[in-house]
Amino acid sequence: MPIRNRFAQMQEDITAWRRYLHQHPELLYDVHETAAFVVERLKEFGVDEITPGIGKTGVVAVIKGKSDTKGRVIGLRADMDALPIHEASGVDYASTVPGKMHACGHDGHTAILLGAAHYLAETRNFDGTVVLIFQPAEEGGAGGKAMCEDGLMDRWGIQEVYGLHNMPGLPVGAFATRVGPLLASADEFEIVVTGKGGHAAAPHEAVDTTLVGAQIVVALQSVVARNINPVHRVVLTVGTFATDSNASNVIAHQVRMKGTVRTLDPEGRGLAEARIREIAEHTAKAYGAEAEVIWTEGYPVTVNSAEQTGYALEAARAVSGQVDGEAAPVMPAEDFSFMLQERPGAYIFLGNGEGPMCHHPAYIFEDDAIPFGCSWFAELVERRMPLGAG
Ligand code: NI
C-alpha cells in the first residue's frame, strides 16, 4: 500500500480528531467549535500563519516549504460543516447533538487536511507555500463563496486549488475524477401563478390557477426535451405544487410551485432560466393569469481544469492502485465550484467503501480512507512544488 508510512503512524490520532468532530457537529456558519479545534491543532503543528474568521468562520493557514524559489502557492481545501439530520448510524462515537450529524463526511475531510498539515509542517519538503483552507457552510450556505469574497485567493496569492470528497460506493482508497464538469450546478426557482379564485361550479367567472399551473409544469419539461442540446445534461424538477385553496369546490386564486434545475453545462444553466421565465409568464398570460418567477442562483458547475486534474491524478496514482481519471460526473452540487471559478484546480472523489450514501442518517465515514486522503494532499504538494527544481 503506497500510502505514506507517516500517515499510517498518524492514523490513530487523525481518527481520534475525526471522531471528536463527529461527536460535535455544527451547522452552516455556526462552526465556531470546529474552527477553534482546527486552530488548536494547527498551532500544535507549528504552521507559519493562522487566520480565523475568513468567510465568517473559515480558517486559513500557511505552511512554507524549505525553499521558495518560484513563488508557487497551492491552496488545499476542506469543508467543516454538518447537516440537520438525526444520526442513526449506530457508531459508538455518534453525534452528541440531537438533530445534527456529520452525514456528509466533512468531519473526515477536516481531519484529513489536518493530518496533511501536520505532515507538511513537520517535513516541509517542497518549494513554495501551502495555504490550508477550512471552510464553513458547504451544505447550502455557500461558505466557499464567502471565503472568496473575503479575498481568499488574492490575499494569500493562491495560484491553484485542490479539494477532495469521500464517495460511498467507491472502494476505500480508490480515487476518481475527470477533466471538466464533475458536479452539477443547482439553482432553485419558485413560480407564483395568480388568477382569479372562484366557485368550482362557475369556472367561467374565474381564472383557474390550478389548470394554468399544471400547464406550466408540463410545458417546463420541454426545456430539457426541446431547448437544451441533447448531449448536455440538465435536470429540471418541480418539487412542490400548492394551491391557496384546501377545498374541492373552490377554484384557487393562487398557485405556488418550487423546483430545481441542475446541469453540468454552464450554458444550459442560463438557457434554462430564460426558458422557465418565458414559459411560465407566457403560458399564464395565454390563460388570463399572471406568473412571477423567482430565480435563486445556487452553486455553479464544479469544473476541473485539465492541467491541475493531471497533477491530481498523478498524485492519486502515486498513492493508490485504483484511480479512475474518467469518472462519470454526478448531479449533486458542491461549493468548491466557487473557488474553481477563481483559480484553476481539481476536485477528486476518495472511495468510502460500501454503505449508505452521503446525507443518509446511517452514513458512516470510513476511517481507513484517511491515510489515502492525507497522502494524496502530501503527494500533490511535493510533486507540484518539488525541492531543488529551481
Ligand atoms: Ni459534502
Side-chain angles (χ1 to χ4, degrees), residues 79 83 104-106 109 138-139 165-166 333-334 347 358-359:
D79 39 16
L83 283 158
C104 200
H106 298 184
H109 306 161
E138 195 287 318
E139 300 289 357
H165 202 293
N166 76 93
E334 162 60 55
Y347 197 59
C358 296
H359 294 210

Side-chain angles (χ1 to χ4, degrees), residues 355-373:
M357 199 42 171
C358 296
H359 294 210
H360 190 282
Y363 164 84
I364 297 173
F365 180 85
E366 177 50 69
D367 287 317
D368 285 343
I370 286 172
F372 290 94

Side-chain angles (χ1 to χ4, degrees), residues 230-307:
V231 301
H232 297 156
R233 301 184 204 198
V234 175
V235 175
L236 189 163
T237 294
V238 176
T240 71
F241 188 104
T243 69
D244 64 356
S245 145
N246 219 354
S248 60
N249 60 356
V250 169
I251 289 173
H253 183 71
Q254 202 168 60
V255 160
R256 281 175 185 270
M257 52 191 117
K258 287 184 188 174
T260 180
V261 175
R262 288 169 182 246
T263 175
L264 293 159
D265 163 32
E267 267 173 53
R269 194 183 179 197
L271 180 62
E273 181 190 352
R275 288 297 295 142
I276 288 168
R277 287 188 188 281
E278 282 169 358
I279 287 170
E281 288 164 11
H282 292 264
T283 302
K285 203 169 180 198
Y287 288 88
E290 268 181 27
E292 185 195 354
V293 178
I294 302 144
W295 183 265
T296 308
E297 202 158 271
Y299 294 172
V301 185
T302 300
V303 184
N304 283 338
S305 55
E307 191 187 340

Side-chain angles (χ1 to χ4, degrees), residues 42-285:
L42 294 172
K43 279 183 186 164
E44 287 168 11
F45 308 156
V47 304
D48 296 292
E49 217 183 272
I50 303 171
T51 311
I54 302 301
K56 294 182 189 167
T57 42
V59 178
V60 180
V62 172
I63 304 173
K64 291 183 174 137
K66 277 183 183 152
S67 61
D68 185 10
T69 60
K70 292 187 170 178
R72 285 202 174 140
V73 184
I74 285 184
L76 307 177
R77 172 271 202 179
D79 39 16
M80 299 190 286
D81 58 320
L83 283 158
I85 290 177
H86 196 81
E87 180 155 2
S89 68
V91 297
D92 58 9
Y93 55 86
S95 169
T96 58
V97 188
K100 294 183 190 176
M101 173 191 178
H102 268 293
C104 200
H106 298 184
D107 49 344
H109 306 161
T110 298
I112 285 172
L113 189 55
L114 282 174
H118 191 181
Y119 169 88
L120 290 169
E122 187 175 85
T123 54
R124 302 187 187 249
N125 287 324
F126 57 95
D127 178 67
T129 304
V130 169
V131 178
L132 307 162
I133 305 162
F134 294 90
Q135 78 149 78
E138 195 287 318
E139 300 289 357
K145 187 184 186 195
M147 290 190 83
C148 286
E149 285 172 352
D150 262 0
L152 173 67
M153 299 299 167
D154 290 338
R155 192 166 156 191
W156 280 275
I158 296 168
Q159 294 158 352
E160 45 196 75
V161 67
Y162 298 87
L164 63 75
H165 202 293
N166 76 93
M167 180 55 87
L170 197 63
V172 176
F175 289 88
T177 189
R178 72 192 298 270
V179 173
L182 181 65
L183 292 111
S185 62
D187 299 314
E188 286 176 15
F189 61 86
E190 182 174 8
I191 302 174
V192 183
V193 182
T194 307
K196 191 180 169 204
H199 196 292
H204 59 294
E205 289 173 4
V207 176
D208 183 356
T209 49
T210 303
L211 176 67
V212 179
Q215 300 285 2
I216 290 172
V217 172
V218 173
L220 285 180
Q221 288 309 316
S222 73
V223 176
V224 175
R226 303 287 86 172
N227 298 131
I228 300 290
N229 182 333
V231 301
H232 297 156
R233 301 184 204 198
V234 175
V235 175
L236 189 163
T237 294
V238 176
T240 71
F241 188 104
T243 69
D244 64 356
S245 145
N246 219 354
S248 60
N249 60 356
V250 169
I251 289 173
H253 183 71
Q254 202 168 60
V255 160
R256 281 175 185 270
M257 52 191 117
K258 287 184 188 174
T260 180
V261 175
R262 288 169 182 246
T263 175
L264 293 159
D265 163 32
E267 267 173 53
R269 194 183 179 197
L271 180 62
E273 181 190 352
R275 288 297 295 142
I276 288 168
R277 287 188 188 281
E278 282 169 358
I279 287 170
E281 288 164 11
H282 292 264
T283 302
K285 203 169 180 198

